[in-house]
Amino acid sequence: MNDRELDQLIARANPFGDDTVRQLPTADAESDLLEDILTTTEPATRLRPTRRRRIAIGAAAAVGVAAAVGVVGAVLPKDSPVAPYVAPFVAPQPAYAAELVAVAEANDRILIDDPAWKITQVDEFTKDTGDMTFSKGDQTFQLKWFPAKEFKDYYNDRVTGSVEHSEVQVLGQKGTLFRYAKENFDSAFMLPPRGPSFVETRADLGSLEAYRDVLGKLKKVDVNTWLAAMPEEVVKPEKVRAAVDSMLAGVAVPKGFNKKPLYKETVIARYHLGARVTTAASCAWLDQWTAATKSGDKAKAAEAVQAMQGSKKWKILQEMKAEGDMPEMIWQYADEIAGKVKPESKSGHPAEGYKDGLGCR
């Protein structure tokens, strides 16, 4: 292979473009790379570089190898037994949405430092609320975030509802351990507020010792580690838009329906994202039906009835029905406004209370 062929090969391996590469701070990376080449005579296991060096080395390895090889050619004789070392490409860290980073940084990102415990359920996270469940076999360990301003009320409620409580240190903080009943080991632990939220854990693991053992394994992690630990069914921020669009496929929405609020980038379980999408569409149709019924617009009311009857074929609701009751709630309202079932409200009015029932905004 001649120099021109080598240059062409390297150019094809460059996914970033020459202009972008010229602006990268690769001088240190090239120096490190050259040092490795000159001091390595046999294949060896390389230590993982620091994050700062990893970014630079990744760029240099992918698109700046020609410069390093050029230096090596000038230093080493042609018959040198030392083969030029080409560092493997290291993918950059994922770039998460600024809104998610703000949410993640506002909370203590906590995992259980034990591979036997896996995250199995995650509700939507905001800057001061969240709900995560870990599982190991048939045991579960729940971890929740609440607004800091509500700490006193929650604490007093736990004191009143428990049979005993004591001070325990976890994650470098003093918190309170509660035991709820003498006949079982249903226990909870609360940490006082740090920032906009406070943390509570709860589980019944068969003994206080087992519960405290898990408390001792709690650890705080960075954003990327926390997100990487999420189960596959959790929709991560960068995939929310695509997931929403996919869920809306085949879902009838009224004219003027605004789907932008559905694109809110956050960490959310697929079921809860599906609920966000389907309730938004259902609420819009029920709003139309309610307004049309009051004004006497039979065409608009009939359109809403037809659309809600169609919800029984929405793929996302069919997917969700095995996991929760949201689909059944939507279909109940659909049948009420169609006159197919007796309304569940005391007044007997169809779809009464749907705003609270579906969480319409």
Side-chain angles (χ1 to χ4, degrees), residues 35-344:
E35 180 181 352
D36 287 337
I37 294 170
L38 295 176
T39 58
T40 303
T41 58
E42 297 180 6
T45 301
R46 291 172 53 81
L47 295 177
R48 179 175 295 178
T50 63
R51 173 180 168 80
R52 182 177 63 185
R53 289 183 59 210
R54 187 161 61 247
I55 294 173
I57 291 174
V63 295
V65 175
V69 171
V71 173
V72 173
V75 175
L76 298 176
K78 293 182 179 180
D79 58 351
S80 171
V82 181
Y85 175 84
V86 179
F89 173 70
V90 180
Q93 294 287 348
Y96 296 111
E99 182 179 357
L100 171 69
V101 173
V103 170
E105 291 181 345
N107 293 282
D108 286 330
R109 297 165 303 281
I110 299 172
L111 297 177
I112 299 177
D113 193 11
D114 183 340
W117 286 96
K118 306 290 185 183
I119 301 174
T120 53
Q121 182 177 328
V122 177
D123 288 349
E124 184 173 2
F125 276 81
T126 68
K127 288 187 178 181
D128 58 8
T129 60
D131 190 336
M132 177 183 294
T133 300
F134 297 82
S135 298
K136 184 179 76 169
D138 59 356
Q139 293 184 318
T140 59
F141 185 93
Q142 191 172 36
L143 195 152
K144 289 188 176 185
W145 285 255
F146 298 99
K149 62 183 180 181
E150 299 176 7
F151 176 78
K152 185 175 181 180
D153 290 339
Y154 273 93
Y155 180 85
N156 291 337
D157 177 78
R158 303 304 187 251
V159 169
T160 302
S162 63
V163 295
E164 60 184 22
H165 62 279
S166 58
E167 188 176 273
V168 176
Q169 185 158 326
V170 175
L171 293 169
Q173 286 182 263
K174 290 182 178 179
T176 307
L177 175 63
F178 301 91
R179 182 174 174 184
Y180 282 97
K182 292 182 178 180
E183 61 272 14
N184 59 43
F185 294 94
D186 184 11
S187 305
F189 174 77
M190 295 177 67
L191 281 173
R194 292 188 65 177
S197 63
F198 69 92
V199 174
E200 179 182 54
T201 71
R202 187 162 183 171
D204 182 352
L205 303 180
S207 69
L208 283 177
E209 290 74 17
Y211 182 71
R212 295 187 67 160
D213 178 66
V214 176
L215 289 179
K217 294 179 180 179
L218 297 181
K219 67 174 181 179
K220 296 179 182 179
V221 299
D222 59 35
V223 173
N224 288 333
T225 301
W226 184 66
L227 290 173
M230 299 296 170
E232 291 183 1
E233 60 269 23
V234 169
V235 181
K236 296 181 182 179
E238 70 275 16
K239 296 184 179 180
V240 166
R241 178 180 288 266
V244 167
D245 289 341
S246 176
M247 291 175 180
L248 281 174
V251 173
V253 295
K255 185 178 180 180
F257 178 79
N258 181 16
K259 63 181 181 179
K260 288 184 178 179
L262 303 176
Y263 290 149
K264 178 183 178 183
E265 294 183 323
T266 184
V267 176
I268 185 170
R270 182 174 172 81
Y271 180 90
H272 293 290
L273 183 59
R276 179 197 291 179
V277 170
T278 55
T279 57
S282 299
C283 289
W285 284 121
L286 291 170
D287 286 345
Q288 178 175 312
W289 180 85
T290 302
T293 301
K294 288 181 179 179
S295 67
D297 190 335
K298 294 182 179 180
K300 287 284 189 181
E303 182 187 27
V305 169
Q306 183 178 5
M308 288 298 291
Q309 284 296 300
S311 68
K312 297 174 184 179
K313 295 182 180 180
W314 293 353
K315 290 183 178 179
I316 182 59
L317 286 182
Q318 292 294 330
E319 174 189 323
M320 293 166 59
K321 69 180 182 180
E323 188 174 347
D325 297 330
M326 181 60 71
E328 295 295 338
M329 291 178 62
I330 291 175
W331 296 334
Q332 172 68 27
Y333 291 128
D335 286 343
E336 286 184 17
I337 64 174
K340 292 185 174 183
V341 298
K342 183 179 179 180
E344 292 185 339

